[in-house]
Amino acid sequence: MGPSPLASKKAETDYSRHIRRKRLILWGMALLTGAAALASLMAGSSGLTIGEVALALAGRGTKQTETIVWNVRMPRVTAALAAGTALAMCGCIMQNVLRNPLASASTLGVSQGASFGAAAAIVCMGAGNQVNPGSGTTASLTITNPWTVTVCAFLGGIATTVLILALSRMKGITPSAMVLAGVAISSMFTGGTTLVQYFADDIMVASVVYWTFGNLGRAGWSEIGLMGGLCLGAFLFFLFQRWNYNAVESGLDTARSLGVPVGFLIPVSMAVCALIASVSVAFVGCIQFIGLIASHMMRRLVGNDFRFLIPCTALCGAVLLLASDVACRVLVPPAVLPVGALTSFLGAPLFLYLIMRRGSVG
């Protein structure tokens, strides 16, 4: 006998309530992202109020206010939205296809490989210059050839991805061993970046070091447009594959039995992750642990349903990076701390915590 009509109605009601809760969380994350973006537009030494920001956004503010909002702070906000979303989605998808809860662009060495490629482009191909903004003494790095930096960063990131995929297909490789392999790969590319700096002149060394700090303010609108376009394309691809990712959560054998093209899904998903992570690293520097933190936070709230996990994780990554950028600007004003250093400082303890809980998250 099948389930009674009463039991079926109760199950349907419970499912509807469950889905409604996840939708509320998704809308809540969207509102939180908007609030974080507004806070980022307000944060800084100029002390703008919410009313002044609103008037500037509407084109009715003073010339000074509109210059601050649109030319100084809006590029930082959009760069944080694009980079945070990209890195968070990378962590979410990598953890799924590699069956590893500790996987992300930073822990598996993809970001470090992209850093090496971008550093090689800046130093060896002259794709970046150090300039002195105005009368200040603080130099900044300008990417003079974004496509060269992007291609080189992608090649470095994809090289790491190929190594990780090769290791994941080896018989007997464990998730813990995969993380250790990522640490080794990260060390290798970090050493390569150091060697590139060793053979560069003082100005280029300073440029690369400044670039590796991570800075949301260096990306121009063309770079932000490239990041945003690739990020949107990746988001649509991941969302289109959401049911396949749900099947993979039950294991690769189960996914194959359900008709999921695992041989296509895993390498293509990893390549897309490598592309958006590498482009983010190329334009804003190394931003560590966003992917690891965001995905695990959202798994606790919406579970492993990728219909909701993908967009919620993307929004969470944007919120985390925006909040980190606000903290970097208000902790020791008027100085602006490097956002990559802050995310590493806060993300490392969580990474250690996840390793200690390895038995319960694997």
Side-chain angles (χ1 to χ4, degrees):
M1 293 180 60
S4 65
L6 184 61
S8 298
K9 178 125 179 115
K10 183 179 182 302
E12 183 179 347
T13 302
D14 290 342
Y15 179 76
S16 298
R17 187 181 300 114
H18 183 64
I19 295 298
R20 192 181 308 117
R21 174 181 171 273
K22 293 184 178 182
R23 286 174 178 166
L24 287 175
I25 293 173
L26 177 58
W27 281 109
M29 290 304 304
L31 291 175
L32 187 59
T33 303
L38 182 59
S40 183
L41 289 174
M42 295 170 58
S45 58
S46 300
L48 298 182
T49 65
I50 187 172
E52 290 173 327
V53 170
L55 288 174
L57 291 175
R60 299 172 56 188
T62 65
K63 184 176 181 180
Q64 179 183 6
T65 302
E66 291 185 7
T67 300
I68 293 173
V69 170
W70 286 105
N71 296 347
V72 179
R73 295 183 183 174
M74 187 60 77
R76 296 184 70 96
V77 171
T78 51
L81 288 171
T85 297
L87 295 173
M89 288 194 300
C90 284
C92 178
I93 300 303
M94 285 180 171
Q95 290 163 17
N96 174 265
V97 299
L98 294 179
R99 312 294 300 138
N100 189 333
L102 299 178
S104 69
S106 57
T107 57
L108 294 181
V110 176
S111 294
Q112 290 78 6
S115 296
F116 170 74
I122 292 170
V123 174
C124 302
M125 302 180 185
N129 288 325
Q130 192 182 47
V131 296
N132 193 312
S135 58
T137 58
T138 302
S140 62
L141 179 68
T142 298
I143 301 298
T144 56
N145 193 334
W147 289 104
T148 300
V149 175
T150 301
V151 169
C152 291
F154 174 69
L155 291 176
I158 204 68
T160 305
T161 303
V162 170
L163 288 174
I164 293 298
L165 284 174
L167 289 172
S168 68
R169 292 175 181 270
M170 289 176 58
K171 185 176 181 180
I173 191 74
T174 64
S176 298
M178 200 179 300
V179 171
L180 293 176
V183 172
I185 294 171
S186 300
S187 178
M188 179 182 70
F189 279 114
T190 300
T193 303
T194 303
L195 287 175
V196 170
Q197 296 178 48
Y198 180 81
F199 289 104
D201 58 35
D202 292 343
I203 294 178
M204 279 300 177
V205 169
S207 298
V208 175
V209 170
Y210 176 79
W211 172 82
T212 57
F213 286 163
N215 183 2
L216 296 172
R218 74 167 63 109
W221 285 114
S222 59
E223 292 87 352
I224 293 170
L226 178 59
M227 277 196 300
L230 291 174
C231 187
L232 177 61
F235 175 77
L236 294 176
F237 171 78
F238 294 148
L239 208 58
F240 182 76
Q241 300 290 339
R242 60 193 182 279
W243 292 109
N244 289 337
Y245 295 132
N246 281 343
V248 170
E249 280 292 309
S250 300
L252 295 181
D253 292 335
T254 301
R256 290 190 185 96
S257 69
L258 294 173
V260 175
V262 174
F264 164 84
L265 183 67
I266 293 178
V268 173
S269 296
M270 288 293 292
V272 173
C273 287
L275 175 60
I276 59 178
S278 300
V279 170
S280 299
V281 170
F283 294 139
V284 302
C286 285
I287 310 294
Q288 307 283 2
F289 295 113
I290 291 292
L292 189 67
I293 298 172
S295 57
H296 281 287
M297 287 177 64
M298 289 299 101
R299 283 179 190 273
R300 288 182 174 274
L301 293 178
V302 300
N304 294 323
D305 188 345
F306 278 76
R307 292 177 298 169
F308 299 96
L309 183 60
I310 292 173
C312 284
T313 299
L315 291 171
C316 184
V319 170
L320 289 174
L321 195 50
L322 283 167
S324 298
D325 184 51
V326 171
C328 288
R329 283 186 277 161
V330 302
L331 285 177
V332 286
V336 179
L337 299 177
V339 67
L342 185 63
T343 57
S344 297
F345 183 79
L346 297 178
L350 176 64
F351 179 63
L352 295 175
Y353 170 72
L354 291 173
I355 290 178
M356 292 174 65
R357 293 184 65 249
R358 178 64 184 87
S360 60
V361 297

